[in-house]
Amino acid sequence: MKLAGMLLLLAGWVIVVSALALFARPGPRDLFVLAGLGVELLGLMLAFRGSARSPREAK
Amino acid sequence: MTPYPAAFDLPVLASMALVAIIPLALAGFVLMNTGLGRTRSAAHSMLGSLAAIAVAALVFCVVGFSWEGVAGGSSHTLTIAGSHWDWLARGPFCLLGLSPGATRTNLAVLLQVFAVGLAALIPLSAGADRWRLSASCFSTALLAGWTYPLFAHWVWGGGWLAQLGSNYGLGRGFLDAGGAGTIQVVGGLTALSVVWIIGPRRGKFVQDGIAPAIPGHNIVYVLFGALLVLPGWIALNAACAILFAGAPPAQIPLIALNTMLSAAAGCMAAVLITRLRFAKPDASLSANGWMGGLVASSAVGSFVSPMVAIGVGMIAGVLVTFSVELLELRLAVDDPGGAISVHAVAGIWGLLAVGFFVPGQSLAQVVGVATLLGLVLPLTYGLNWLLDRVFPQRTGRDGERLGMDLHELGAGAYPEFMIHNEEFVER
């Protein structure tokens, strides 16, 4: 789950950078940048859930 | 009267005086980290901090600065849709490109040696009581040799985040005049990665995620450290603003005032919240609120009025207080010093606050924060995960049972203390 979270974080960043390069008009560009940030937040939640479910604690 | 050489203009002289004060921030931070840890790991914490500062300085000078470079220096660029994206500097290794006459560049290198040392101390706070000394040195080398210089180039070295203004009309590009992102958030995200990899301290989450408190061993160290950090932080914010954001020396008093007010507001917010919630103010959380205010001031200090700095610091203090609880109780993240909350959460808030209060900056700040979360976090996690495969970062059972002092150093920080048997009972 943590790996999936990390991949989502990276995917969100790629969306942000792609939005800057691909959209000249501010409206769609801003929307896609925010969407990329949203994907990153999902990835962050997933990464946290992954670590919370399996804390590496030696018993 | 003999005039100063041309290189010694007023900004350079002011920066020289300021840079000399920055080590106080490191000293105070080390003292805080040690006080928030346990007695049986106190010497380990101090030596680990000294080693981290030393490794960071050496690796940054040998390798890191060549990736970071200076604004206007040679670099690797990529042309995308007609715009040039500056990704990585192309300087010589081992500081070979520096000359005695390049006073401003030399001063920038010296400042960054302290800055990368400060960033390297942040993960140590989160990994206290279980992070091996040698592993922390290797991890620091990765931070100082790659992660920090990469992001610092993008922000302070004329990289693509700094170019967002000229390339895409996003205000003045990503603004981080005092290192809230470059130093604090990068360090805070590295701390999160390290904590994810090495796991919690033994006995921290015993039954279904219930987390018994493991209080710091010396709150006087913590509070004195918080005071000691202040002059160093004022100097750091002001020197970075002059050398990397082009602020005039006349702005130093405003930056200092904003830094102080933001810290004060962060501290008082934490004092009030803990007083309301727990009936008594919590000293360590209040110190963390103070630090959160300082971290947020690194982002906004050069750009806002004192009243806005108070508001930003206050929100940082609130965020830090609740974030410490959220991470520990809900997300099972064992961060003894609250480093992730103080440096990553408050730093991100400060960077976003610049977007709220500086006209036309909001999207550039969002892109910068998205880069920290979306690229720097996976990068630093991946590097530390690989390191852990090759060189396990967590100490063994004996290390935690005996304490890191006895296990790794062979002697405790307080040899005259009576050691109680219950210290060694496994939980």
Side-chain angles (χ1 to χ4, degrees), chain B residues 34 44 70 88 175 185 206:
Chain B
T34 303
H44 187 270
V70 291
L88 197 61
L175 289 179
V185 181
V206 280

Short mmCIF file of all heavy atoms in Angstrom, two decimals, chain B residues 34 44 70 88 175 185 206:
data_model
loop_
_atom_site.label_atom_id
_atom_site.label_comp_id
_atom_site.label_asym_id
_atom_site.label_seq_id
_atom_site.Cartn_x
_atom_site.Cartn_y
_atom_site.Cartn_z
N THR B 34 17.94 16.52 22.07
CA THR B 34 18.46 15.70 23.15
C THR B 34 17.51 15.71 24.34
O THR B 34 17.24 14.67 24.95
CB THR B 34 19.85 16.21 23.57
OG1 THR B 34 20.70 16.19 22.41
CG2 THR B 34 20.47 15.35 24.66
N HIS B 44 24.25 9.68 22.68
CA HIS B 44 24.11 9.24 21.30
C HIS B 44 23.48 10.34 20.46
O HIS B 44 23.89 10.60 19.32
CB HIS B 44 23.25 7.97 21.27
CG HIS B 44 23.15 7.31 19.94
ND1 HIS B 44 22.17 7.62 19.03
CD2 HIS B 44 23.92 6.35 19.36
CE1 HIS B 44 22.34 6.88 17.95
NE2 HIS B 44 23.39 6.11 18.12
N VAL B 70 24.81 28.15 -8.51
CA VAL B 70 24.30 29.48 -8.18
C VAL B 70 23.45 29.97 -9.34
O VAL B 70 23.59 29.51 -10.47
CB VAL B 70 25.45 30.48 -7.93
CG1 VAL B 70 26.19 30.15 -6.66
CG2 VAL B 70 26.42 30.50 -9.11
N LEU B 88 19.30 21.02 -13.26
CA LEU B 88 20.43 20.63 -12.42
C LEU B 88 21.64 21.49 -12.77
O LEU B 88 21.92 21.71 -13.95
CB LEU B 88 20.76 19.15 -12.68
CG LEU B 88 21.60 18.40 -11.68
CD1 LEU B 88 20.91 18.36 -10.32
CD2 LEU B 88 21.88 16.99 -12.16
N LEU B 175 8.51 31.24 -4.23
CA LEU B 175 9.24 32.06 -3.26
C LEU B 175 9.49 31.27 -1.97
O LEU B 175 8.56 30.75 -1.36
CB LEU B 175 8.43 33.32 -2.92
CG LEU B 175 8.33 34.39 -4.01
CD1 LEU B 175 7.49 35.56 -3.51
CD2 LEU B 175 9.70 34.88 -4.44
N VAL B 185 11.13 21.77 5.09
CA VAL B 185 10.23 20.73 4.58
C VAL B 185 11.04 19.55 4.03
O VAL B 185 10.67 18.39 4.24
CB VAL B 185 9.26 21.30 3.51
CG1 VAL B 185 8.33 20.20 3.03
CG2 VAL B 185 8.45 22.45 4.08
N VAL B 206 1.52 -0.42 21.87
CA VAL B 206 1.48 -1.76 22.46
C VAL B 206 0.21 -2.53 22.14
O VAL B 206 0.25 -3.68 21.76
CB VAL B 206 1.70 -1.70 23.98
CG1 VAL B 206 3.16 -1.55 24.28
CG2 VAL B 206 0.90 -0.59 24.61
#
